[in-house]
């Protein structure tokens, strides 16, 4: 069964139609890459999925459960837990250590769900989990450092560990390497690839075409708020049907070359 189903998603800002009827389906353990020019609505789509923007129309189902619309009774905070989001600019808490950046949301959630004293007991377990996650992203030796003491690539890996800590059904990335120097993109892309091996369901907005080609089960090319082209990477990159996709890919290649 599809873990994620989006139907007819629309979003406008004032008079500007930014998303105009987005339909997509994603299976458990699959990776969906979203490519497209700046301003085509990619970030807005991720923000709608993460309940950071309220769509004007459309339906959203996670594992068959409706998360927008009148049938949905789950509180917003609960609905948000289905999704994790890794931002372009990391958005770590500068005043906390690496370890605390990862444990904080887990501790707050435990407190909210189980009360203060149970949360104190959960804290040790949460810390253990954070250590494991930070080990997985190669940062076991940075637990007590602060974000300003890390490179951009390391900060982004902390952000990934933090997003994984709450075990979202779907992990979203918004251009996770765009703010990084070229020599630091590889370490972040490697972590995302390793998550695919462990069957994490992911949506990755990216300008890294070679990466998208290699890691994705499905690729979407967005233009002007609609899905202009959609399919397996071999088709979208190898035999694009739409002239807009072809022009976009040609421009991307020119930039790389
Ligand atoms: N909060 C907002 N208010 C008004 N316009 C917005 C807002 N967020 C995005 N937009 C506009 O929506 C369009 C799509 O933006 P965005 O989703 O960020 O595109 P992308 O991520 O593909 O570059 C752009 O024209 C942008 O200026
Ligand atoms: Mg964007």
């Amino acid at each position: 069964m599809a873990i994620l189903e989006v139907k007819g998603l629309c979003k406008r800002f004032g008079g500007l139609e930014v998303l105009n009827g987005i339909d997509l389906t994603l299976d458990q353990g699959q990776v969906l890459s979203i490519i497209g020019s700046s301003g085509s609505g990619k970030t807005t789509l991720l923000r709608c999925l993460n309940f950071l923007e309220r769509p004007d129309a459309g339906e959203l189902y996670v594992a068959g459960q409706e998360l927008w619309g009148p049938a949905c009774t789950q509180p917003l905070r609960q609905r948000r837990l289905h999704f994790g989001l890794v931002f372009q600019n990391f958005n770590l808490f500068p005043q906390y250590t690496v370890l605390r950046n990862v444990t904080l949301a887990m501790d707050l959630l435990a407190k909210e769900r189980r009360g203060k004293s149970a949360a104190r007991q959960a804290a040790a377990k949460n810390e253990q989990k954070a250590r494991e996650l930070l080990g997985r992203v190669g940062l076991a030796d940075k637990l007590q450092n602060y974000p300003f003491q890390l490179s951009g690539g390391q900060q982004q890996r902390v952000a990934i560990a933090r997003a994984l800590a709450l075990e979202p059904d779907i992990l979203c990335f918004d251009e996770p390497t765009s703010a990084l120097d070229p020599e630091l993109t590889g370490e972040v892309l490697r972590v995302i690839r390793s998550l695919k091996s462990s069957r994490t369901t992911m949506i990755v907005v990216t300008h890294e075409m070679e990466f998208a080609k290699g890691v994705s089960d499905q690729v979407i090319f967005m233009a002007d708020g609609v899905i202009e082209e959609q399919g397996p990477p071999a088709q979208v990159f190898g035999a694009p049907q739409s002239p807009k996709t072809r022009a976009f890919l040609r421009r991307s290649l020119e930039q790389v070359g």
Side-chain angles (χ1 to χ4, degrees), residues 13 16 18 36-45 53 174-175 205:
F13 291 112
L16 186 67
V18 175
S37 308
S38 179
S40 57
K42 305 179 300 296
T43 294
T44 304
L45 173 58
E53 300 285 355
D174 193 2
E175 299 193 25
V205 171

